[in-house]
Amino acid sequence: MASSLKYVFCLLLASSVSALVHPGMLHTDDDFTRMQSKVDASATPWIIGWDLLIANSHSQPTYTANPLPIVYRGSDGVHAENYGTLYNDVAAAYALALRWKIQDDDEFADAAVAIFNAWSSTLTSIQGDSDAALAAGIYGYEFANAAEIVRSYSGWAAADQVKFQTMLHDVFFSINYDFLNRHDGQTDPDVYFAGWDLCQVASIMSIGIFNDNETMYEYAVDYFKSGVGNGNVHKAIWVTYDVDGETLGQCQESGRDQGHSTLDIGLLGVIAQMAYNQGDDLFAYESNLILAGSEYTAKYNVGYDVPYTEYTNSYPTDEPIISNYSRGSLRPTDELLYAHYHDLKGLDAWYTGLYRDMVNNSTGGAEGGGGNYGSDSGGYDQLGYGTLTFRLSAA
Ligand SMILES: *[C@@H]1O[C@H](CO)[C@@H](O)[C@H](O)[C@H]1NC(C)=O
Ligand SMILES: *[C@@H]1O[C@H](CO)[C@@H](O)[C@H](O)[C@H]1NC(C)=O
Ligand SMILES: *[C@@H]1O[C@H](CO)[C@@H](O)[C@H](O)[C@H]1NC(C)=O
Ligand SMILES: *[C@@H]1O[C@H](CO)[C@@H](O)[C@H](O)[C@H]1NC(C)=O
């Protein structure tokens, strides 16, 4: 009797406790331990990334949030865009959260918490034109990632964490989910380029994790595998080639420009990293399709030729050749991809490594974060600092 009651109790417990892991987005506890030991040892190249982080104005404990009731991205014809305020505060929250984990000094966590609480008690919606969805996607996943790092901090009151969850759900997730379901009312969802979908997927996945909502998390994984729009990985990396024994994957935006193609690769890496830390290996999905896309995009952006297949969609878009517009765009995206595919899995990721080096060379030998790549939104599309956070081996 006693043992069968115990059994029933365990079952109830198992069904009411989320299977989601914390911290389990871009970084795990093991990752933070590695970062801290590399910084303590002043090991290169991690220390270069650390120095970039602590020199960045966003990582100072004196940073103050500038919360807004309504964020505008894109013009609705009436209101001026103001979303720069949000992406600066999100970058600050992430930078401060990292410093807290590595420096073990609560003043950084307190400063991050002040940013989370300021926004969750002020923000009610994101508006503008269809670009509002980009803000909800990109800053949604970034904000949730910053919060996940500080989630275990005793100085962030449970009630305030719930308020932050509510903001993520009501303001960000609601837009993310609507976008993936309706694509702004377009008859054919292929009208929206891959980056639009991918940032919604990343946001829903990360909000699902932060809010302990497995339904949301699974929805994001399913969309990545079989969604109707270009955020489905089979559409994001839609044709592959065998070149000198290596698989290269053309990106859905390769014929548009390289700024967006490199953004897509960065988002795919973020999605796969978060899922990996939840026990789902999307990096390996479809014979490492993300790696094929990364190798293709990196190879072209560091200066080599790649094969290309004409791309058309119902917009109508007709892209007969690969676009050299913004070729060589610098985004702090490939430390994550190279660490996973090359260092962890032992796979060939040569061009991803070259792109990583080209990017880190531009900031002195390590990836920087928001603020190190200009003041425009593109410089805040990634959380960055990947040399410090993802690098597994020095060479
Ligand atoms: C998870 O989120 C979905 C979408 O908002 C919601 O319908 C559902 O009730 C949530 N589940 C839990 C356990 O909160
Ligand atoms: C970029 O591509 C265009 C064709 O779209 C071509 O005319 C131009 O020469 C190329 N520029 C470079 C620097 O390769
Ligand atoms: C590295 O950066 C320096 C200075 O910014 C530049 O002169 C050099 O060409 C770069 N090297 C590579 C391989 O990108
Ligand atoms: C990029 O930085 C790494 C160290 O993080 C260094 O090994 C590599 O040489 C750098 N690449 C370039 C082109 O400077």
Side-chain angles (χ1 to χ4, degrees):
M1 177 69 181
S3 80
S4 73
L5 266 182
K6 211 162 149 188
Y7 176 69
V8 169
F9 179 70
C10 284
L11 276 182
L12 283 174
L13 204 63
S15 62
S16 61
V17 171
S18 167
L20 292 162
V21 177
H22 303 287
M25 288 189 212
L26 289 174
H27 319 297
T28 63
D29 272 329
D30 283 351
D31 296 329
F32 290 119
T33 304
R34 181 188 61 248
M35 294 175 215
Q36 198 172 42
S37 74
K38 297 295 184 188
V39 169
D40 285 350
S42 284
T44 301
W46 296 269
I47 197 69
I48 304 171
W50 173 250
D51 288 341
L52 283 169
L53 171 65
I54 63 174
N56 193 308
S57 64
H58 296 81
S59 77
Q60 309 311 314
T62 48
Y63 187 95
T64 16
N66 295 288
L68 298 163
I70 303 177
V71 164
Y72 294 96
R73 179 166 180 171
S75 175
D76 62 3
V78 178
H79 303 94
E81 291 188 303
N82 60 6
Y83 68 104
T85 302
L86 175 58
Y87 66 64
N88 273 283
D89 283 6
V90 170
Y94 180 72
L96 289 159
L98 281 181
R99 286 191 72 171
W100 173 59
K101 283 304 254 193
I102 297 170
Q103 266 174 285
D104 258 342
D105 183 337
D106 287 350
E107 72 173 329
F108 297 105
D110 289 334
V113 165
I115 296 172
F116 300 135
N117 291 349
W119 279 91
S120 66
S121 58
T122 309
L123 182 66
T124 59
S125 75
I126 301 175
Q127 301 176 22
D129 58 13
S130 58
D131 284 5
L134 292 175
I138 295 171
Y139 314 134
Y141 95 74
E142 292 183 346
F143 224 171
N145 264 276
E148 177 80 351
I149 299 174
V150 183
R151 176 190 187 99
S152 61
Y153 178 50
S154 58
W156 193 8
D160 288 338
Q161 293 203 23
V162 169
K163 250 173 115 172
F164 193 77
Q165 290 178 332
T166 303
M167 176 195 74
L168 288 177
H169 181 276
D170 293 357
V171 179
F172 292 86
F173 167 78
S174 61
I175 295 176
N176 304 147
Y177 186 70
D178 179 67
F179 187 86
L180 292 183
N181 281 292
R182 290 193 317 110
H183 290 91
D184 204 32
Q186 297 295 331
T187 320
D188 193 330
D190 77 351
V191 163
Y192 276 97
F193 291 98
W196 288 80
D197 263 22
L198 288 170
C199 64
Q200 316 305 326
V201 172
S203 185
I204 292 176
M205 180 176 278
S206 55
I207 294 171
I209 297 169
F210 190 77
N211 289 17
D212 266 327
N213 186 316
E214 278 186 82
T215 310
M216 284 168 64
Y217 171 80
E218 292 298 344
Y219 175 88
V221 172
D222 288 348
Y223 197 96
F224 169 89
K225 291 180 176 173
S226 57
V228 294
N230 287 318
N232 170 337
V233 69
H234 304 93
K235 301 179 191 215
I237 310 297
W238 66 284
V239 47
T240 59
Y241 309 90
D242 184 7
V243 180
D244 302 329
E246 188 186 15
T247 307
L248 301 180
Q250 182 176 325
C251 178
Q252 190 263 337
E253 306 206 49
S254 297
R256 182 186 182 197
D257 63 53
Q258 298 310 310
H260 288 96
S261 302
T262 50
L263 170 66
D264 294 348
I265 298 303
L267 288 166
L268 285 165
V270 161
I271 291 165
Q273 183 75 21
M274 295 196 291
Y276 192 77
N277 288 335
Q278 292 298 331
D280 294 315
D281 194 348
L282 301 184
F283 285 111
Y285 185 66
E286 295 289 18
S287 310
N288 305 308
L289 189 52
I290 294 175
L291 174 62
S294 173
E295 286 290 275
Y296 177 99
T297 305
K299 187 172 184 178
Y300 185 67
N301 278 281
V302 299
Y304 295 92
D305 290 337
V306 289
Y308 181 83
T309 301
E310 179 169 11
Y311 177 77
T312 58
N313 72 13
S314 59
Y315 181 46
T317 294
D318 183 7
E319 294 163 344
I321 58 167
I322 194 165
S323 172
N324 61 24
Y325 187 70
S326 58
R327 187 180 190 180
S329 281
L330 298 172
R331 291 189 184 269
T333 51
D334 283 18
E335 286 279 5
L336 181 164
L337 290 158
Y338 191 83
H340 185 87
Y341 283 116
H342 181 268
D343 295 346
L344 197 67
K345 298 268 182 71
L347 297 169
D348 176 8
W350 179 258
Y351 296 105
T352 300
L354 291 183
Y355 181 83
R356 175 198 73 175
D357 286 350
M358 179 176 82
V359 172
N360 72 33
N361 181 53
S362 75
T363 42
E367 283 183 4
N372 292 116
Y373 301 91
S375 57
D376 292 346
S377 65
Y380 292 80
D381 287 344
Q382 295 76 217
L383 288 166
Y385 301 117
T387 312
L388 171 67
T389 60
F390 298 115
R391 180 71 78 105
L392 296 176
S393 71

PDB file of all heavy atoms in Angstrom, residues 44-45 48 335 356-358 360-361 365-366 387 391 394, ligand 4:
ATOM      1  N   THR A  44      44.074  32.630 -23.342  1.00  0.00           N
ATOM      2  CA  THR A  44      43.744  33.160 -24.668  1.00  0.00           C
ATOM      3  C   THR A  44      43.079  32.049 -25.479  1.00  0.00           C
ATOM      4  O   THR A  44      43.516  30.908 -25.384  1.00  0.00           O
ATOM      5  CB  THR A  44      45.049  33.608 -25.381  1.00  0.00           C
ATOM      6  OG1 THR A  44      45.677  34.603 -24.566  1.00  0.00           O
ATOM      7  CG2 THR A  44      44.764  34.191 -26.751  1.00  0.00           C
ATOM      8  N   PRO A  45      42.030  32.325 -26.263  1.00  0.00           N
ATOM      9  CA  PRO A  45      41.459  33.636 -26.589  1.00  0.00           C
ATOM     10  C   PRO A  45      40.301  34.076 -25.689  1.00  0.00           C
ATOM     11  O   PRO A  45      39.775  35.163 -25.886  1.00  0.00           O
ATOM     12  CB  PRO A  45      40.940  33.416 -28.003  1.00  0.00           C
ATOM     13  CG  PRO A  45      40.453  32.000 -27.977  1.00  0.00           C
ATOM     14  CD  PRO A  45      41.450  31.258 -27.105  1.00  0.00           C
ATOM     15  N   ILE A  48      40.439  37.495 -24.253  1.00  0.00           N
ATOM     16  CA  ILE A  48      40.226  38.625 -25.175  1.00  0.00           C
ATOM     17  C   ILE A  48      38.722  38.949 -25.215  1.00  0.00           C
ATOM     18  O   ILE A  48      38.316  40.110 -25.186  1.00  0.00           O
ATOM     19  CB  ILE A  48      40.745  38.284 -26.596  1.00  0.00           C
ATOM     20  CG1 ILE A  48      42.223  37.873 -26.546  1.00  0.00           C
ATOM     21  CG2 ILE A  48      40.538  39.480 -27.539  1.00  0.00           C
ATOM     22  CD1 ILE A  48      42.765  37.322 -27.865  1.00  0.00           C
ATOM     23  N   GLU A 335      31.479  31.236 -33.654  1.00  0.00           N
ATOM     24  CA  GLU A 335      32.148  30.548 -32.542  1.00  0.00           C
ATOM     25  C   GLU A 335      31.261  29.385 -32.083  1.00  0.00           C
ATOM     26  O   GLU A 335      31.741  28.285 -31.829  1.00  0.00           O
ATOM     27  CB  GLU A 335      32.397  31.514 -31.369  1.00  0.00           C
ATOM     28  CG  GLU A 335      33.520  32.500 -31.600  1.00  0.00           C
ATOM     29  CD  GLU A 335      34.920  31.906 -31.337  1.00  0.00           C
ATOM     30  OE1 GLU A 335      35.046  30.699 -31.062  1.00  0.00           O
ATOM     31  OE2 GLU A 335      35.891  32.682 -31.413  1.00  0.00           O
ATOM     32  N   ARG A 356      34.676  32.586 -38.641  1.00  0.00           N
ATOM     33  CA  ARG A 356      34.847  32.919 -37.215  1.00  0.00           C
ATOM     34  C   ARG A 356      36.088  33.785 -37.016  1.00  0.00           C
ATOM     35  O   ARG A 356      36.047  34.796 -36.317  1.00  0.00           O
ATOM     36  CB  ARG A 356      34.987  31.615 -36.414  1.00  0.00           C
ATOM     37  CG  ARG A 356      35.284  31.822 -34.951  1.00  0.00           C
ATOM     38  CD  ARG A 356      35.843  30.574 -34.299  1.00  0.00           C
ATOM     39  NE  ARG A 356      37.233  30.322 -34.714  1.00  0.00           N
ATOM     40  CZ  ARG A 356      38.003  29.358 -34.225  1.00  0.00           C
ATOM     41  NH1 ARG A 356      37.509  28.517 -33.332  1.00  0.00           N
ATOM     42  NH2 ARG A 356      39.248  29.207 -34.645  1.00  0.00           N
ATOM     43  N   ASP A 357      37.202  33.371 -37.650  1.00  0.00           N
ATOM     44  CA  ASP A 357      38.449  34.124 -37.470  1.00  0.00           C
ATOM     45  C   ASP A 357      38.379  35.508 -38.106  1.00  0.00           C
ATOM     46  O   ASP A 357      38.914  36.476 -37.563  1.00  0.00           O
ATOM     47  CB  ASP A 357      39.623  33.335 -38.053  1.00  0.00           C
ATOM     48  CG  ASP A 357      39.998  32.159 -37.165  1.00  0.00           C
ATOM     49  OD1 ASP A 357      39.483  32.084 -36.025  1.00  0.00           O
ATOM     50  OD2 ASP A 357      40.790  31.308 -37.615  1.00  0.00           O
ATOM     51  N   MET A 358      37.709  35.587 -39.254  1.00  0.00           N
ATOM     52  CA  MET A 358      37.570  36.891 -39.899  1.00  0.00           C
ATOM     53  C   MET A 358      36.787  37.840 -38.974  1.00  0.00           C
ATOM     54  O   MET A 358      37.142  39.016 -38.816  1.00  0.00           O
ATOM     55  CB  MET A 358      36.828  36.736 -41.238  1.00  0.00           C
ATOM     56  CG  MET A 358      36.618  38.044 -41.977  1.00  0.00           C
ATOM     57  SD  MET A 358      35.848  37.797 -43.598  1.00  0.00           S
ATOM     58  CE  MET A 358      34.118  37.660 -43.156  1.00  0.00           C
ATOM     59  N   ASN A 360      36.382  37.533 -35.609  1.00  0.00           N
ATOM     60  CA  ASN A 360      37.059  37.877 -34.353  1.00  0.00           C
ATOM     61  C   ASN A 360      38.291  38.760 -34.595  1.00  0.00           C
ATOM     62  O   ASN A 360      38.645  39.569 -33.749  1.00  0.00           O
ATOM     63  CB  ASN A 360      37.322  36.649 -33.467  1.00  0.00           C
ATOM     64  CG  ASN A 360      38.404  35.730 -33.971  1.00  0.00           C
ATOM     65  OD1 ASN A 360      39.377  36.148 -34.577  1.00  0.00           O
ATOM     66  ND2 ASN A 360      38.231  34.439 -33.689  1.00  0.00           N
ATOM     67  N   ASN A 361      38.863  38.624 -35.782  1.00  0.00           N
ATOM     68  CA  ASN A 361      39.984  39.508 -36.112  1.00  0.00           C
ATOM     69  C   ASN A 361      39.536  40.978 -36.140  1.00  0.00           C
ATOM     70  O   ASN A 361      40.303  41.872 -35.802  1.00  0.00           O
ATOM     71  CB  ASN A 361      40.573  39.104 -37.467  1.00  0.00           C
ATOM     72  CG  ASN A 361      41.757  39.976 -37.856  1.00  0.00           C
ATOM     73  OD1 ASN A 361      42.694  40.121 -37.103  1.00  0.00           O
ATOM     74  ND2 ASN A 361      41.687  40.575 -39.046  1.00  0.00           N
ATOM     75  N   GLY A 365      40.524  39.674 -31.948  1.00  0.00           N
ATOM     76  CA  GLY A 365      40.809  38.258 -31.670  1.00  0.00           C
ATOM     77  C   GLY A 365      39.718  37.505 -30.942  1.00  0.00           C
ATOM     78  O   GLY A 365      39.909  36.345 -30.575  1.00  0.00           O
ATOM     79  N   ALA A 366      38.558  38.134 -30.720  1.00  0.00           N
ATOM     80  CA  ALA A 366      37.438  37.435 -30.089  1.00  0.00           C
ATOM     81  C   ALA A 366      36.146  38.132 -30.494  1.00  0.00           C
ATOM     82  O   ALA A 366      36.157  39.316 -30.826  1.00  0.00           O
ATOM     83  CB  ALA A 366      37.564  37.450 -28.566  1.00  0.00           C
ATOM     84  N   THR A 387      33.338  33.835 -28.284  1.00  0.00           N
ATOM     85  CA  THR A 387      34.664  33.286 -27.958  1.00  0.00           C
ATOM     86  C   THR A 387      34.721  32.984 -26.464  1.00  0.00           C
ATOM     87  O   THR A 387      35.174  31.918 -26.047  1.00  0.00           O
ATOM     88  CB  THR A 387      35.773  34.280 -28.351  1.00  0.00           C
ATOM     89  OG1 THR A 387      35.526  34.730 -29.687  1.00  0.00           O
ATOM     90  CG2 THR A 387      37.149  33.631 -28.258  1.00  0.00           C
ATOM     91  N   ARG A 391      33.643  28.927 -27.013  1.00  0.00           N
ATOM     92  CA  ARG A 391      34.914  28.341 -27.464  1.00  0.00           C
ATOM     93  C   ARG A 391      35.315  27.159 -26.560  1.00  0.00           C
ATOM     94  O   ARG A 391      35.341  27.274 -25.343  1.00  0.00           O
ATOM     95  CB  ARG A 391      36.002  29.426 -27.444  1.00  0.00           C
ATOM     96  CG  ARG A 391      37.382  28.956 -27.892  1.00  0.00           C
ATOM     97  CD  ARG A 391      37.423  28.683 -29.374  1.00  0.00           C
ATOM     98  NE  ARG A 391      37.512  29.890 -30.170  1.00  0.00           N
ATOM     99  CZ  ARG A 391      38.635  30.313 -30.789  1.00  0.00           C
ATOM    100  NH1 ARG A 391      39.743  29.614 -30.703  1.00  0.00           N
ATOM    101  NH2 ARG A 391      38.603  31.417 -31.507  1.00  0.00           N
ATOM    102  N   ALA A 394      41.540  26.261 -27.765  1.00  0.00           N
ATOM    103  CA  ALA A 394      42.243  27.500 -28.105  1.00  0.00           C
ATOM    104  C   ALA A 394      42.606  27.577 -29.580  1.00  0.00           C
ATOM    105  O   ALA A 394      42.544  28.642 -30.181  1.00  0.00           O
ATOM    106  CB  ALA A 394      43.497  27.628 -27.244  1.00  0.00           C
TER     107      ALA A 394
HETATM  108  C1  LIG B   4      40.816  35.084 -34.453  1.00  0.00           C
HETATM  109  O1  LIG B   4      41.022  34.919 -33.109  1.00  0.00           O
HETATM  110  C2  LIG B   4      41.647  33.718 -32.779  1.00  0.00           C
HETATM  111  C3  LIG B   4      41.700  33.665 -31.318  1.00  0.00           C
HETATM  112  O2  LIG B   4      40.434  33.815 -30.844  1.00  0.00           O
HETATM  113  C4  LIG B   4      43.004  33.631 -33.384  1.00  0.00           C
HETATM  114  O3  LIG B   4      43.532  32.348 -33.135  1.00  0.00           O
HETATM  115  C5  LIG B   4      42.909  33.838 -34.853  1.00  0.00           C
HETATM  116  O4  LIG B   4      44.183  33.906 -35.409  1.00  0.00           O
HETATM  117  C6  LIG B   4      42.150  35.111 -35.124  1.00  0.00           C
HETATM  118  N1  LIG B   4      42.021  35.267 -36.525  1.00  0.00           N
HETATM  119  C7  LIG B   4      42.540  36.275 -37.165  1.00  0.00           C
HETATM  120  C8  LIG B   4      42.331  36.303 -38.637  1.00  0.00           C
HETATM  121  O5  LIG B   4      43.137  37.150 -36.610  1.00  0.00           O
END
